[in-house]
Amino acid sequence: MEVAMSCCSPSPFLGKFRTPFYSGISQFREVIGSSTQAARVTALFWGPKKVAEPKELNFSLGSYALAGSSPEGVLESEGKPKVLSISVLSSISDVSPGVWDACTVDATGPEKFNPFLTHAFLSSLEESGSAVKETGWMPCHIIAKDESDNIVGAVPLYLKSHSYGEFVFDHSWADAYRSFGSRYYPKLQCCVPFTPVTGPRILVCNTSFKDQVFEILISALKDLTAKFQISSLHITFPSENEWCKLSEQGFLQRIGMQYHWKNLNYKSFDEFLMDMKQSKRKNIRQERKKILQQNLTMKRLRGHEIKARHWDSFYNFYRNTTDNKWGTPYLTRDFFHIMASKMGDQVLLVIAEEGEEMVAGALNLIGGDALYGRLWGCHPRKYYPSLHFEACYYQAIEAAIELNLKTVEAGAQGEHKIQRGYLPVTTYSSHYLMDEGFRTAIKDFLDRESAQVKLVMKLLHESGPFKEGIHQNHQYM
């Protein structure tokens, strides 16, 4: 579990491919030299030409015709082809929660419902001043309406002036663009801000023409990238199915890695421990004993059980973590209060108390079949051994077993999670770059990076914490 921050260090799998690409800009020039020369670059954003930053984001991207998709091959109304109208909105508040969430539920399915894609979560980021133009996250969400003015698709989208809070590192790409005199920012980012959680990004309602709506929304995203005359469009942490479809639409593919715990129908935490290797099981039990030895009491609070004082304390812990490790907090104090008021029982806050005082907390959200661990913080006064592991990992496992959830997603980074039962899984991102020369170089880089990620994941699985045979039939990679 990590703070909702991403530092500007490159991916741990880049190896020698650090900023800029490969071992230096001279090698980068060799890679793209035949296809891109400074004197003959034709990219829209190249040279002194100013990037077209919109003054008003509420506008139409036009209409897109729908071809027949029924068995009869027609979708017509009074002899006219059906069309979708595509619009850009400067705030998610311009869409009603019920309509937005209907797209979300249809896109995920109830069993895979993703709380981060809800109107409640996304609007909390905007209303609290966390994901807004002033912080480098200008909302420009896309919606698709049919001829009856019904919203049949939506895309959470932001015009960004930096690469922080994304958890898919492209700072070296920006450095390479700058080295050639070009502007990488602003860029379009399709994602949930500050949230490395996989889920659909193109939210399409269940209709007989949903596949066409998906393709039209992708076309609209490309058109918007060209309209703004910017370098690129990035879709981070999409579903694997979307990732494959986006490859067919000209997006570069990238993979990453994070750590998840799988519930093999465990009835208790001890039953889970019995699947671990003896040394790992012993270590976990010793860490949990330390909590009792420090006279700490762990509690799991949900929904209305979480009071304003809990959120105020948690925000202070969150600030302590960001101040010590990352520098700048992304989320405001208001975010936690607003989000909690809107999301109710989807919120699970693990707290640690010393006597009557709250000294640490871990924020989780509950989805259809998963518990999502997000943020952690502790009182700065004192160090509590093993409290981070207890609050973030072991309490999450116990909660998942209690709630009969299939997965605990513990977020990005942290190989220390493996020995505590969290195994590596593949994450995805898709990248659309306007300049063909840079596209060629970045594709070569991504091919090399993917090979490294796959190798690391293979090695981590082979040295996993479970007894032989456990999880062999459960796909992680």
Side-chain angles (χ1 to χ4, degrees):
M1 184 176 301
E2 75 295 330
V3 182
M5 303 278 296
S6 63
C7 64
C8 58
S9 61
S11 163
F13 303 108
L14 297 188
K16 66 178 181 178
F17 311 132
R18 299 180 72 88
T19 308
F21 293 127
Y22 311 108
S23 60
I25 195 63
S26 61
Q27 289 181 323
F28 183 75
R29 289 181 184 274
E30 291 175 7
V31 173
I32 69 169
S34 60
S35 58
T36 303
Q37 296 182 16
R40 292 187 284 135
V41 171
T42 59
L44 292 172
F45 52 81
W46 194 269
K49 186 173 182 178
K50 186 176 181 180
V51 175
E53 296 186 19
K55 295 180 180 179
E56 175 57 53
L57 272 181
N58 283 32
F59 61 86
S60 172
L61 279 175
S63 298
Y64 295 72
L66 279 169
S69 61
S70 67
E72 294 77 21
V74 293
L75 266 174
E76 298 186 349
S77 176
E78 298 179 355
K80 296 180 180 180
K82 280 190 173 290
V83 297
L84 290 184
S85 60
I86 308 298
S87 301
V88 178
L89 304 179
S90 60
S91 173
I92 196 172
S93 63
D94 293 332
V95 183
S96 73
V99 170
W100 182 279
D101 290 346
C103 295
T104 298
V105 172
D106 280 357
T108 62
E111 70 286 351
K112 295 287 185 182
F113 182 72
N114 189 316
F116 300 101
L117 293 167
T118 62
H119 191 281
F121 187 84
L122 294 171
S123 64
S124 296
L125 290 171
E126 293 183 21
E127 291 175 22
S128 66
S130 300
V132 291
K133 178 181 178 180
E134 289 73 20
T135 62
W137 291 82
M138 181 187 289
C140 46
H141 310 303
I142 291 182
I143 60 168
K145 290 184 178 181
D146 64 15
E147 291 172 318
S148 300
D149 217 30
N150 299 312
I151 293 179
V152 295
V155 181
L157 185 67
Y158 301 86
L159 187 65
K160 292 207 60 193
S161 59
H162 54 73
S163 290
Y164 299 103
E166 298 170 6
F167 297 90
V168 177
F169 301 108
D170 62 351
H171 297 85
S172 59
W173 304 5
D175 288 343
Y177 270 65
R178 185 166 55 250
S179 295
F180 275 79
S182 179
R183 287 182 60 175
Y184 188 67
Y185 305 110
K187 63 176 184 175
L188 282 172
Q189 192 80 21
C190 174
C191 68
V192 177
F194 325 123
T195 307
V197 172
T198 295
R201 295 295 178 256
I202 314 301
L203 310 178
V204 180
C205 290
N206 285 328
T207 65
S208 60
F209 47 92
K210 65 179 300 181
D211 290 342
Q212 290 186 61
V213 177
F214 180 92
E215 292 178 0
I216 286 173
L217 285 170
I218 296 303
S219 295
L221 285 167
K222 292 181 181 179
D223 292 346
L224 188 61
T225 306
K227 180 181 179 68
F228 285 173
Q229 299 183 15
I230 55 178
S231 68
S232 52
L233 159 68
H234 308 265
I235 302 178
T236 45
F237 297 97
S239 66
E240 183 179 7
N241 182 53
E242 285 180 323
W243 184 70
C244 293
K245 288 182 178 180
L246 289 166
S247 177
E248 299 170 359
Q249 297 292 329
F251 284 73
L252 299 181
Q253 292 182 302
R254 190 177 195 181
I255 62 171
M257 181 181 72
Q258 57 184 216
Y259 303 91
H260 296 178
W261 177 85
K262 296 293 183 180
N263 186 357
L264 303 187
N265 297 315
Y266 295 120
K267 300 298 186 293
S268 67
F269 191 90
D270 283 339
E271 185 178 344
F272 149 65
L273 284 184
M274 294 310 298
D275 279 351
M276 303 282 284
K277 294 175 182 176
Q278 194 275 337
S279 61
K280 308 301 182 186
R281 182 167 63 247
K282 179 180 179 181
N283 179 69
I284 291 174
R285 285 175 171 161
Q286 289 177 338
E287 287 181 341
R288 303 205 78 182
K289 284 181 181 178
K290 292 179 182 178
I291 304 304
L292 296 174
Q293 294 168 355
Q294 297 174 84
N295 295 317
L296 294 174
T297 301
M298 306 302 302
K299 294 181 180 178
R300 294 195 293 271
L301 306 179
R302 189 173 176 185
H304 71 276
E305 298 174 331
I306 312 172
K307 308 302 181 183
R309 61 183 174 84
H310 294 123
W311 289 121
D312 287 337
S313 294
F314 181 76
Y315 178 73
N316 291 333
F317 301 156
Y318 163 71
R319 285 298 306 265
N320 177 53
T321 303
T322 58
D323 291 347
N324 289 337
K325 292 187 176 182
W326 308 101
T328 304
Y330 289 136
L331 301 172
T332 65
R333 182 187 299 270
D334 286 344
F335 166 78
F336 297 99
H337 291 277
I338 296 171
M339 181 270 300
S341 69
K342 291 186 175 188
M343 303 195 71
D345 282 348
Q346 290 177 292
V347 182
L348 175 68
L349 183 66
V350 176
I351 67 170
E353 292 181 337
E354 187 175 22
E356 298 296 322
E357 182 184 11
M358 179 175 165
V359 297
L363 172 61
N364 305 265
L365 291 187
I366 300 171
D369 67 350
L371 182 72
Y372 302 93
R374 288 306 306 120
L375 306 173
W376 144 265
C378 188
H379 199 293
R381 177 187 64 232
K382 180 180 176 183
Y383 171 66
Y384 300 90
S386 298
L387 180 54
H388 173 258
F389 305 137
E390 176 67 31
C392 299
Y393 309 140
Y394 305 145
Q395 287 291 322
I397 290 173
E398 284 193 339
I401 293 173
E402 178 182 301
L403 297 170
N404 196 29
L405 300 175
K406 294 181 180 179
T407 307
V408 176
E409 296 195 14
Q413 307 168 350
E415 291 182 10
H416 59 276
K417 297 170 185 173
I418 297 173
Q419 64 180 309
R420 294 168 177 90
Y422 293 74
L423 295 182
V425 300
T426 304
T427 59
Y428 306 94
S429 62
S430 301
H431 308 270
Y432 183 77
L433 290 96
M434 295 293 288
D435 184 87
E436 287 298 325
F438 280 104
R439 173 185 172 82
T440 299
I442 290 174
K443 182 181 185 305
D444 180 64
F445 163 74
L446 293 179
D447 289 343
R448 295 169 183 259
E449 183 190 52
S450 294
Q452 292 182 343
V453 173
K454 291 175 181 178
L455 176 60
V456 169
M457 291 184 67
K458 181 176 182 295
L459 295 173
L460 291 176
H461 274 279
E462 290 175 350
S463 60
F466 291 95
K467 295 176 182 176
E468 186 175 353
I470 304 298
H471 286 284
Q472 283 185 345
N473 296 323
H474 295 264
Q475 186 62 257
Y476 277 79
M477 298 179 67

Short mmCIF file of all heavy atoms in Angstrom, two decimals, residues 142-166:
data_model
loop_
_atom_site.label_atom_id
_atom_site.label_comp_id
_atom_site.label_asym_id
_atom_site.label_seq_id
_atom_site.Cartn_x
_atom_site.Cartn_y
_atom_site.Cartn_z
N ILE A 142 -15.23 12.89 -21.44
CA ILE A 142 -15.95 12.72 -22.69
C ILE A 142 -17.22 11.91 -22.44
O ILE A 142 -17.18 10.90 -21.72
CB ILE A 142 -15.07 12.02 -23.74
CG1 ILE A 142 -13.94 12.97 -24.18
CG2 ILE A 142 -15.88 11.58 -24.95
CD1 ILE A 142 -13.04 12.40 -25.25
N ILE A 143 -18.32 12.34 -23.03
CA ILE A 143 -19.55 11.56 -22.96
C ILE A 143 -20.11 11.37 -24.37
O ILE A 143 -19.89 12.20 -25.26
CB ILE A 143 -20.62 12.23 -22.07
CG1 ILE A 143 -20.98 13.62 -22.60
CG2 ILE A 143 -20.16 12.29 -20.63
CD1 ILE A 143 -22.22 14.20 -21.93
N ALA A 144 -20.81 10.25 -24.55
CA ALA A 144 -21.46 9.94 -25.83
C ALA A 144 -22.96 9.85 -25.59
O ALA A 144 -23.42 9.16 -24.69
CB ALA A 144 -20.94 8.62 -26.37
N LYS A 145 -23.73 10.58 -26.41
CA LYS A 145 -25.19 10.57 -26.31
C LYS A 145 -25.80 10.03 -27.60
O LYS A 145 -25.29 10.30 -28.70
CB LYS A 145 -25.72 11.98 -26.05
CG LYS A 145 -25.41 12.54 -24.68
CD LYS A 145 -26.06 13.90 -24.50
CE LYS A 145 -25.81 14.47 -23.12
NZ LYS A 145 -26.47 15.80 -22.95
N ASP A 146 -26.91 9.29 -27.44
CA ASP A 146 -27.63 8.84 -28.62
C ASP A 146 -28.60 9.92 -29.07
O ASP A 146 -28.64 11.03 -28.51
CB ASP A 146 -28.33 7.50 -28.36
CG ASP A 146 -29.42 7.61 -27.29
OD1 ASP A 146 -29.84 8.73 -26.94
OD2 ASP A 146 -29.85 6.54 -26.80
N GLU A 147 -29.43 9.59 -30.07
CA GLU A 147 -30.32 10.61 -30.63
C GLU A 147 -31.41 11.05 -29.68
O GLU A 147 -32.02 12.10 -29.86
CB GLU A 147 -30.93 10.07 -31.92
CG GLU A 147 -29.91 9.93 -33.05
CD GLU A 147 -30.49 9.22 -34.26
OE1 GLU A 147 -31.20 8.23 -34.06
OE2 GLU A 147 -30.21 9.67 -35.37
N SER A 148 -31.65 10.23 -28.64
CA SER A 148 -32.65 10.59 -27.63
C SER A 148 -32.04 11.31 -26.45
O SER A 148 -32.68 11.47 -25.41
CB SER A 148 -33.39 9.33 -27.16
OG SER A 148 -34.05 8.70 -28.23
N ASP A 149 -30.78 11.70 -26.58
CA ASP A 149 -30.05 12.43 -25.55
C ASP A 149 -29.72 11.56 -24.34
O ASP A 149 -29.45 12.09 -23.26
CB ASP A 149 -30.85 13.66 -25.09
CG ASP A 149 -29.93 14.85 -24.79
OD1 ASP A 149 -28.87 14.95 -25.43
OD2 ASP A 149 -30.29 15.66 -23.92
N ASN A 150 -29.73 10.25 -24.51
CA ASN A 150 -29.31 9.33 -23.46
C ASN A 150 -27.81 9.12 -23.51
O ASN A 150 -27.25 8.90 -24.59
CB ASN A 150 -30.00 7.97 -23.62
CG ASN A 150 -31.50 8.07 -23.53
OD1 ASN A 150 -32.04 8.70 -22.62
ND2 ASN A 150 -32.20 7.45 -24.49
N ILE A 151 -27.16 9.21 -22.37
CA ILE A 151 -25.72 8.96 -22.32
C ILE A 151 -25.46 7.46 -22.38
O ILE A 151 -25.96 6.70 -21.54
CB ILE A 151 -25.09 9.57 -21.05
CG1 ILE A 151 -25.18 11.10 -21.10
CG2 ILE A 151 -23.63 9.13 -20.89
CD1 ILE A 151 -24.61 11.80 -19.89
N VAL A 152 -24.70 7.04 -23.38
CA VAL A 152 -24.42 5.61 -23.58
C VAL A 152 -22.94 5.28 -23.39
O VAL A 152 -22.53 4.13 -23.52
CB VAL A 152 -24.89 5.14 -24.97
CG1 VAL A 152 -26.40 5.24 -25.07
CG2 VAL A 152 -24.21 5.94 -26.08
N GLY A 153 -22.14 6.29 -23.10
CA GLY A 153 -20.72 6.06 -22.87
C GLY A 153 -20.08 7.25 -22.21
O GLY A 153 -20.54 8.39 -22.36
N ALA A 154 -19.02 6.99 -21.44
CA ALA A 154 -18.30 8.07 -20.74
C ALA A 154 -16.84 7.69 -20.58
O ALA A 154 -16.50 6.50 -20.49
CB ALA A 154 -18.94 8.34 -19.38
N VAL A 155 -15.98 8.70 -20.52
CA VAL A 155 -14.54 8.48 -20.36
C VAL A 155 -14.00 9.50 -19.35
O VAL A 155 -14.11 10.71 -19.58
CB VAL A 155 -13.79 8.65 -21.69
CG1 VAL A 155 -12.29 8.41 -21.50
CG2 VAL A 155 -14.34 7.72 -22.77
N PRO A 156 -13.41 9.04 -18.24
CA PRO A 156 -12.75 9.97 -17.32
C PRO A 156 -11.43 10.42 -17.94
O PRO A 156 -10.54 9.62 -18.19
CB PRO A 156 -12.53 9.13 -16.06
CG PRO A 156 -12.46 7.71 -16.57
CD PRO A 156 -13.34 7.64 -17.77
N LEU A 157 -11.30 11.73 -18.17
CA LEU A 157 -10.17 12.23 -18.93
C LEU A 157 -9.69 13.55 -18.35
O LEU A 157 -10.49 14.37 -17.88
CB LEU A 157 -10.59 12.43 -20.40
CG LEU A 157 -9.51 12.84 -21.38
CD1 LEU A 157 -8.49 11.71 -21.59
CD2 LEU A 157 -10.13 13.21 -22.73
N TYR A 158 -8.35 13.77 -18.43
CA TYR A 158 -7.75 14.98 -17.85
C TYR A 158 -6.67 15.50 -18.79
O TYR A 158 -5.91 14.73 -19.39
CB TYR A 158 -7.14 14.67 -16.48
CG TYR A 158 -8.15 14.14 -15.49
CD1 TYR A 158 -8.44 12.77 -15.46
CD2 TYR A 158 -8.84 14.98 -14.63
CE1 TYR A 158 -9.40 12.27 -14.59
CE2 TYR A 158 -9.79 14.49 -13.75
CZ TYR A 158 -10.07 13.13 -13.74
OH TYR A 158 -11.01 12.63 -12.88
N LEU A 159 -6.61 16.82 -18.90
CA LEU A 159 -5.51 17.48 -19.59
C LEU A 159 -4.48 17.81 -18.53
O LEU A 159 -4.76 18.55 -17.59
CB LEU A 159 -6.00 18.74 -20.29
CG LEU A 159 -4.99 19.46 -21.19
CD1 LEU A 159 -4.60 18.58 -22.37
CD2 LEU A 159 -5.55 20.79 -21.68
N LYS A 160 -3.27 17.26 -18.67
CA LYS A 160 -2.28 17.34 -17.61
C LYS A 160 -1.06 18.15 -18.01
O LYS A 160 -0.62 18.13 -19.15
CB LYS A 160 -1.83 15.93 -17.21
CG LYS A 160 -2.92 15.11 -16.53
CD LYS A 160 -2.29 14.07 -15.62
CE LYS A 160 -1.45 14.73 -14.54
NZ LYS A 160 -0.59 13.76 -13.84
N SER A 161 -0.51 18.84 -17.01
CA SER A 161 0.69 19.65 -17.24
C SER A 161 1.92 19.02 -16.60
O SER A 161 2.98 19.65 -16.54
CB SER A 161 0.47 21.06 -16.67
OG SER A 161 0.19 21.00 -15.27
N HIS A 162 1.81 17.79 -16.11
CA HIS A 162 2.93 17.08 -15.48
C HIS A 162 2.60 15.58 -15.50
O HIS A 162 1.57 15.18 -16.05
CB HIS A 162 3.15 17.56 -14.05
CG HIS A 162 1.91 17.48 -13.20
ND1 HIS A 162 1.39 16.29 -12.73
CD2 HIS A 162 1.07 18.46 -12.74
CE1 HIS A 162 0.30 16.52 -12.02
NE2 HIS A 162 0.08 17.83 -12.01
N SER A 163 3.47 14.78 -14.90
CA SER A 163 3.25 13.33 -14.88
C SER A 163 3.14 12.77 -13.47
O SER A 163 3.33 11.56 -13.27
CB SER A 163 4.40 12.62 -15.63
OG SER A 163 4.33 12.87 -17.01
N TYR A 164 2.82 13.59 -12.51
CA TYR A 164 2.73 13.11 -11.13
C TYR A 164 1.36 12.50 -10.86
O TYR A 164 0.37 12.86 -11.47
CB TYR A 164 3.01 14.25 -10.15
CG TYR A 164 4.40 14.83 -10.30
CD1 TYR A 164 4.61 16.04 -10.95
CD2 TYR A 164 5.51 14.12 -9.82
CE1 TYR A 164 5.89 16.55 -11.11
CE2 TYR A 164 6.79 14.63 -9.97
CZ TYR A 164 6.98 15.85 -10.62
OH TYR A 164 8.25 16.34 -10.78
N GLY A 165 1.34 11.57 -9.91
CA GLY A 165 0.08 10.96 -9.50
C GLY A 165 -0.47 9.93 -10.45
O GLY A 165 -1.65 9.60 -10.39
N GLU A 166 0.38 9.37 -11.31
CA GLU A 166 -0.09 8.44 -12.34
C GLU A 166 0.35 7.00 -12.12
O GLU A 166 -0.30 6.07 -12.57
CB GLU A 166 0.40 8.90 -13.72
CG GLU A 166 -0.12 10.26 -14.12
CD GLU A 166 0.55 10.83 -15.35
OE1 GLU A 166 1.36 10.10 -15.97
OE2 GLU A 166 0.28 12.00 -15.69
#
